[in-house]
Amino acid sequence: MSDQYAVIGNPIGHTKSPLIHGLFAEETRQDLSYTAVEGPLEPQGAFAETVRAFIANGGKGMNVTAPFKLQAFAMADERSERAELAGAVNAMKFEGGRIIAENFDGIGLVRDIERNLGLPMAGKRVLMLGAGGAARGALLPFLAAGPAEMVIVNRDVEKAKALAATVGGRGALLACAYRDLETMGRFDLVVNATSASLTGGLPPVPPSVFSPEGAAYELAYGKRLTPFLRLARNAGVRTIADGVGMLVEQAAEAFDWWRGVRPETRTVINRLTVPLD
Ligand code: NDP
């Protein structure tokens, strides 16, 4: 039997992960099967039972998506530093009866920005909107990329401050409220890690943060020109992108972690890309 992998979430009908991992397996000639599992929302403990049943049936690894990233974190035996900081897990490996947990969302995002879009973050001013799970996962990989300054802003500013405090000393990092952005000048890169775009909303970010020579990155994907990307474009920003590259790059990280072989991502990104306008 092929090695078994899956993505677990709820709802899960929208997932692109089986397609992405299927293309990776084809390209790298790996004998595996990758399915989508709709995880149970209740009763308490049912998610962990579903994962354990998957392991008992020979499962080798799982990706985890909303709303289970915290439950996956809780049930892991071992967690990477990235997963620890994020407080959330998006990939699990099952080995020797243990659940090893990772979070590749942030590293996938950094790879997409730096390699695919050709925008190194070293020495740049970077602004991150949001302090939820995706922002938490991105923080360490972002700081490791060496920006001159990184600012994290959230509606609930205490959440942004708490997040900044957890990584204190790893780089120039400041947490603030949206209203403070009016006086903070332009940023080379503005990343929308809020979930506002999922409902057609826009975080209260002033257009003055955008730099025409800079870039705006929207974590949501497949939604064409979101209000955030439209705001950036109207402010004259030349480089705008959505999160499809991040999605594929985090998948490639997981694939490499599981299989020990790195798939090529460009053709998969091209295949999944929905034009922004
Ligand atoms: P969370 O629910 O963990 O966090 C949501 C964040 O968005 C919070 O900081 C919240 O602020 C903020 N927020 C929500 N609505 C608004 C609004 N109208 N204005 C300002 N801030 C708002 O979500 P995730 O971190 O898991 O996901 C964030 C985004 O990233 C989603 O769009 C998701 O689809 C995308 N994503 C993309 C991935 C990819 O591979 N491309 C992978 C993972 C996520 P507050 O705390 O103040 O409520």
Side-chain angles (χ1 to χ4, degrees):
M1 193 169 69
S2 308
D3 289 344
Q4 309 285 307
Y5 296 87
V7 56
I8 185 163
N10 189 322
I12 200 63
H14 65 286
T15 185
K16 304 271 183 238
S17 294
L19 171 63
I20 295 171
H21 284 277
L23 292 168
F24 287 167
E26 213 175 284
E27 188 237 322
T28 58
R29 298 173 186 270
Q30 294 284 302
D31 183 18
L32 59 85
S33 102
Y34 190 109
T35 52
V37 174
E38 187 172 276
L41 296 175
E42 51 189 11
Q44 216 192 344
F47 166 78
E49 271 173 39
T50 306
V51 173
R52 295 204 186 282
F54 184 75
I55 299 170
N57 284 327
K60 297 269 194 247
M62 265 182 157
N63 282 123
V64 184
T65 188
F68 298 123
K69 288 182 179 183
L70 304 187
Q71 289 184 59
F73 179 90
M75 76 179 295
D77 298 303
E78 270 176 55
R79 304 177 195 107
S80 70
E81 191 191 12
R82 284 188 291 249
E84 284 288 354
L85 176 72
V89 156
N90 93 321
M92 299 188 285
K93 178 151 75 173
F94 311 129
E95 236 172 42
R98 294 177 70 72
I99 298 175
I100 306 163
E102 256 290 4
N103 189 317
F104 293 124
D105 282 336
I107 192 110
L109 174 58
V110 170
R111 260 180 215 281
D112 193 39
I113 292 170
E114 295 207 313
R115 292 204 192 163
N116 301 339
L117 301 175
L119 302 167
M121 276 190 254
K124 298 288 166 53
R125 291 193 85 209
V126 176
L127 172 62
M128 171 119 67
L129 316 179
R136 294 182 72 90
L139 204 48
L140 270 191
F142 265 47
L143 290 175
E149 184 187 6
M150 174 143 186
V151 175
I152 179 158
V153 62
N154 199 44
R155 279 186 314 200
D156 175 353
V157 70
E158 291 311 318
K159 229 160 104 181
K161 286 185 178 161
L163 180 53
T166 58
V167 295
R170 288 180 200 245
L173 177 64
L174 180 79
C176 69
Y178 279 97
R179 62 176 178 279
D180 301 326
L181 293 175
E182 302 277 359
T183 56
M184 293 183 84
R186 290 174 168 182
F187 290 83
D188 302 298
L189 172 66
V190 183
V191 176
N192 184 14
T194 76
S195 53
S197 306
L198 300 182
T199 49
L202 176 67
V205 58
S208 57
V209 298
F210 294 107
S211 159
E213 309 75 46
Y217 193 104
E218 166 76 76
L219 260 63
Y221 53 87
K223 303 212 163 284
R224 296 187 176 264
L225 209 56
T226 61
F228 167 76
L229 290 178
R230 191 178 298 280
L231 185 73
R233 172 161 288 179
N234 290 343
V237 177
R238 239 175 282 146
T239 308
I240 59 171
D242 75 1
V244 68
M246 169 184 179
L247 176 73
V248 176
E249 292 295 342
Q250 65 75 28
E253 284 293 324
F255 193 91
D256 191 356
W257 186 53
W258 290 327
R259 309 298 299 181
V261 50
R262 173 160 284 276
E264 197 268 316
T265 51
R266 186 73 261 164
T267 44
V268 181
I269 292 173
N270 289 346
R271 180 155 166 180
L272 293 180
T273 294
V274 174
L276 292 177
D277 44 14

